[in-house]
Amino acid sequence: MQQLLSTTISYPSPLFHLTSHPFPPKPHFCPTHRLSFDPPPKMASFSGFLAKSQMGMTAAAAAGDGANGFSSLMDYVGKGGLDVGDDLLVLLYHIQFACKRIAALVASPFNSALGKHSALTGATSGAAASDRDKPKPLDIVANEIILSSLRNSGKVSVMASEEDDAPIWINDDGPFVVVLDPLDGSRNIDASIPTGTIFGVYNRLPELDNQPTEEKALLNSLQSGRKLVAAGYVLYSSATILCASFGSGTHAFTLDHSTGDFILTHPSIRIPPRGQIYSVNDARYFDWPEGLRQYIDTVRQGKGKFPKKYSARYICSLVADFHRTMLYGGIAMNPRNHLRLVYEANPLSYLAEQAGGKGSDGKSSILPIQPVKLHQRLPLFLGSLEDIDELESYGDVQQKVNPGYEV
């Protein structure tokens, strides 16, 4: 086992100090990167500290932790906790390490200075494909940060990203396939609106190993959501929160900046079966089909199956709207054919189902859908089980009219 290392990463912004676990990243040197490896600092004492979830449980009670009274992400999923296996543990370490770097970048006062040529990676943003959002510089930087971490993990065969036209083949021996949206909501960063990273993990399909590289990379990436072995998102907001599931519930961890650890704060999240919040851009009300308008009119008047008036809460950042829905219940939705099945709908629907909720396209569950295109889009409704079932009962809730929106 390698010695614990303390890694200091320098951007053109204040230093962001990370204390790593026994899987240190490989140093990457370029004119604006400086990575220093120092002896491990003495860990701060957390005696008496209890990380309490909004479910009223302590992290120690949820994870069976000892005297310290808190559990880190790596402890919780390791051999003393969920025991997800060594390969997945190493992969998760590298994903969370990349997301700490992205959190520092998003919070930096210098990120608005990143133009077409990124001062962090030397990446030059190219033209976007017609069926993808026009990428912003920070999207590209986040994408390269994650790609670098996945390469260093040695556990990933394919990475398929919302920012790339085609999947990237990384390693013939990697047991996993990772699909991701590296920085969802990045257009909101200048206004300090929350953003996020979304990811899903599949097993590599060994029956495709003898196929040409392009073909096996694509087919490995087009697995249905039912085959996910893990999924998660990282919310970059007033706190940095990593929410993940490995097939046994959905759990959220909050970044402790003093140690660089994600600490379990929301064990075994359960979405309330009903909420009183709907999250949608209702400025598009007159473009909606009759069924969706009728549903929204009904619940906000308190005339639905749940006899209380619903309120609207809309951030226009998918990870942020979904995170609130996970905790408080209700529905987060985009009725247009807009969100990506592979990178957004499948991972978030997996998390919702693991928390007792549901992900739907307005007619049926998301997870059984077989993707046919890498950047395939569809309507997406996420949230409380009873709310989603009631919505689906109105039938016509998918918005077909899409005149094109400037904002």
Side-chain angles (χ1 to χ4, degrees), residues 114-155:
L114 292 173
K116 285 189 175 180
H117 187 273
S118 164
L120 288 181
T121 64
T124 301
S125 60
S130 59
D131 62 346
R132 295 188 290 118
D133 284 347
K134 183 179 180 181
K136 305 278 178 128
L138 285 177
D139 297 346
I140 304 300
V141 176
N143 197 53
E144 294 201 352
I145 287 173
I146 295 176
L147 175 59
S148 175
S149 281
L150 297 185
R151 287 189 194 278
N152 288 341
S153 76
K155 301 299 180 183

Side-chain angles (χ1 to χ4, degrees), residues 80-113:
L82 296 180
D83 194 9
V84 299
D86 291 345
D87 287 341
L88 190 52
L89 186 66
V90 172
L91 172 58
L92 181 61
Y93 168 75
H94 283 82
I95 290 174
Q96 59 94 39
F97 180 84
C99 291
K100 291 174 192 176
R101 294 182 63 190
I102 295 170
L105 177 63
V106 167
S108 167
F110 297 95
N111 64 40
S112 61

Side-chain angles (χ1 to χ4, degrees), residues 15-45:
L15 288 178
F16 181 66
H17 196 78
L18 305 177
T19 302
S20 76
H21 290 268
F23 312 107
K26 296 177 182 178
H28 174 67
F29 297 96
C30 72
T32 53
H33 270 165
R34 185 178 76 250
L35 277 74
S36 62
F37 297 91
D38 306 314
K42 186 176 181 180
M43 299 295 289
S45 172

Side-chain angles (χ1 to χ4, degrees), residues 271-273 322 325-326 329-332 348 352-353 355-360 381-388:
I271 301 176
F322 178 61
T325 304
M326 288 274 285
I331 300 183
L348 297 184
E353 286 202 7
K358 186 174 181 179
S360 170
F381 303 84
L382 296 160
S384 296
L385 183 60
E386 293 178 16
D387 284 318
I388 298 285

Side-chain angles (χ1 to χ4, degrees), residues 31 66 92 98 104 109 115 119 125 164 213 245 279 325 331 349 374 385-386 406:
L92 181 61
S125 60
D164 298 318
T213 300
S245 177
S279 179
T325 304
I331 300 183
S349 295
L374 195 61
L385 183 60
E386 293 178 16
E406 294 298 323

